[in-house]
């Protein structure tokens, strides 16, 4: 476990604070010996990441990247290339929808809200992959985060569920595009976890309670469990897996 990712350079996108799923993943990758770089969008996130990495990986590059901006994405991978040369992995842990779109009826979704959710939460994986590919000359692993609301209707998830469906389909198309180059693309479908983004979903705490009560394992998922799965997907232990959506949700998805 300790050295599973020794010599691997991985870009982590989507740490906002210590509760972020991306931070749970980053800690596991770091423990396994990976060299990490981070992107952030907001200034607050930058400050938070600086504090988080202070004691453990102070040298890790922090790169500003708004995934709605192609120039940002291109510049990000230019910097990653200058720092690391070769890239072996990407954690794409980014999503956003307007708070008002995460409640009520799906048919009330605005055109602007729909496009924004798709652009940030689904298209960004495509754009990031395009610019990352030239650096992944030794093969690699791209991991994104999704949720069950992309497969079935979950109350209030609305426009984000549709964006996750597009993200999950993108994982499959990208896996086919890149498979021969030994670049694997997979998703982790995590159970609900209390994070900044999750707070935007109306009645999220009800969702958590219901999950805890009904999930086969009778408990909530831990961020570190998502981190361990990401570590597996970034390592050679998962060398034959691509285009997959792994549910890390205490078995909740098997329920009807
Ligand atoms: P966080 O709020 O911690 O992370 C979301 C991240 O998305 C933030 O770092 C945010 O950056 C970033 N982001 C939003 N818009 C942009 C943008 N335009 N450009 C670049 N970055 C952007 O929440 P989570 O950790 O919960 O979310 C991570 C992923 O996990 C998401 O894809 C989410 O859908 C998924 N997921 C979450 C679950 C949960 O219950 N929490 C369950 C299943 C999946 P900033 O804050 O700087 O804007």
């Amino acid at each position: 476990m300790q050295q599973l990712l020794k010599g691997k350079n991985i870009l982590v996108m989507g740490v906002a604070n210590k509760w972020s799923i991306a931070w749970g993943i980053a800690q596991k990758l770091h423990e396994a010996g990976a060299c990490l770089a981070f992107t952030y969008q907001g200034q607050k996130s930058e400050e938070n990441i600086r504090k988080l990495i202070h004691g453990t990986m102070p040298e890790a590059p922090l790169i500003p990247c708004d995934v709605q901006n192609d120039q940002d994405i291109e510049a990000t991978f230019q910097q990653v290339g200058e720092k690391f040369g070769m890239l072996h992995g990407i954690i794409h842990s980014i999503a956003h929808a307007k708070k008002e779109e995460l409640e009520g009826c799906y048919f009330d979704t605005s055109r602007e809200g729909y496009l924004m959710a798709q652009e940030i939460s689904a298209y960004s994986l495509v754009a990031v992959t395009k610019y990352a590919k030239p650096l992944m000359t030794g093969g690699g692993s791209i991991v994104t985060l999704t949720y069950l609301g992309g497969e079935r209707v979950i109350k209030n998830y609305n426009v984000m569920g549709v964006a996750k469906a597009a993200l999950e389909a993108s994982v499959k198309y990208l896996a086919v595009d890149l498979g021969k180059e030994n670049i694997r693309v997979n998703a982790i479908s995590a159970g609900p976890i209390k994070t900044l983004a999750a707070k935007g979903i109306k009645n999220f705490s009800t969702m958590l309670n219901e999950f805890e009560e009904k999930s086969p394992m009778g408990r909530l998922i831990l961020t570190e469990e998502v981190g361990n799965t990401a570590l597996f997907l970034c390592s050679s232990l998962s060398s034959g897996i691509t285009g997959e959506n792994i549910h890390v949700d205490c078995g909740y998805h098997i329920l009807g």
Side-chain angles (χ1 to χ4, degrees), residues 144-149 151 168 187-191 245-249:
T144 189
L145 271 297
T146 188
Y147 179 58
L148 190 59
E151 297 170 65
E168 290 169 21
I188 296 175
S189 186
N245 182 9
I246 300 185
H247 294 83
V248 182
D249 66 352

Side-chain angles (χ1 to χ4, degrees), residues 14 20-21 41-42 45 65-67 93-95 146 164 190 192-193 195 197:
S20 293
I21 293 175
Q41 186 198 202
S45 299
C65 182
D66 176 352
V67 295
S93 188
I94 288 174
T146 188
K164 290 302 191 192
I193 296 173
T195 62

Side-chain angles (χ1 to χ4, degrees), residues 95-97 101-102 106 117 121 149-150 157-165 201:
H96 182 73
E101 311 279 12
L102 299 172
Y106 173 60
S121 317
Y157 205 59
N158 295 358
V159 72
M160 189 54 78
V162 176
K164 290 302 191 192
I201 303 163

Side-chain angles (χ1 to χ4, degrees), residues 41 73 89 91 106-107 111 130-132 142 144 169 181 184 189 203 208 249:
Q41 186 198 202
I73 300 175
I91 304 298
Y106 173 60
F107 63 65
R111 186 182 297 268
K130 176 180 165 180
Y131 288 106
I142 298 173
T144 189
E181 286 159 82
R184 299 179 293 107
S189 186
N203 296 332
L208 278 178
D249 66 352

Side-chain angles (χ1 to χ4, degrees), residues 58-237:
E59 307 291 314
L62 296 195
I63 306 166
C65 182
D66 176 352
V67 295
Q68 286 186 284
N69 183 331
D70 277 329
Q71 284 166 342
D72 270 20
I73 300 175
E74 193 173 5
T76 293
F77 287 99
Q78 194 173 333
Q79 285 187 56
V80 169
E82 283 161 14
K83 174 75 185 173
F84 289 149
M86 201 185 266
L87 186 66
H88 305 96
I90 299 172
I91 304 298
H92 172 277
S93 188
I94 288 174
H96 182 73
K98 292 178 174 189
K99 197 172 164 52
E100 63 265 29
E101 311 279 12
L102 299 172
E103 62 175 274
C105 290
Y106 173 60
F107 63 65
D108 277 331
T109 303
S110 68
R111 186 182 297 268
E112 191 204 345
Y114 181 94
L115 293 174
M116 180 196 263
Q118 284 284 338
E119 184 180 12
I120 298 176
S121 317
Y123 179 72
S124 63
L125 179 73
V126 183
V128 160
T129 300
K130 176 180 165 180
Y131 288 106
K133 184 177 169 283
L135 297 179
M136 301 181 91
T137 48
S141 173
I142 298 173
V143 179
T144 189
L145 271 297
T146 188
Y147 179 58
L148 190 59
E151 297 170 65
R152 63 171 88 144
V153 173
I154 304 239
K155 195 169 165 51
N156 294 323
Y157 205 59
N158 295 358
V159 72
M160 189 54 78
V162 176
K164 290 302 191 192
L167 180 74
E168 290 169 21
S170 294
V171 164
K172 294 177 191 164
Y173 279 89
L174 293 170
V176 171
D177 283 350
L178 302 172
K180 297 242 166 40
E181 286 159 82
N182 198 27
I183 301 172
R184 299 179 293 107
V185 188
N186 293 289
I188 296 175
S189 186
I193 296 173
K194 213 173 189 174
T195 62
L196 202 59
K199 281 186 197 156
I201 303 163
K202 194 174 182 200
N203 296 332
F204 182 72
S205 50
T206 311
M207 204 190 256
L208 278 178
N209 292 339
E210 193 188 308
F211 181 93
E212 189 169 15
E213 193 184 307
K214 290 189 182 164
S215 81
M217 294 175 77
R219 64 168 176 85
L220 294 173
I221 201 77
L222 303 172
T223 308
E224 65 180 80
E225 293 174 311
V226 180
N228 280 331
T229 306
L231 162 56
F232 164 71
L233 285 174
C234 287
S235 80
S236 58
L237 292 179

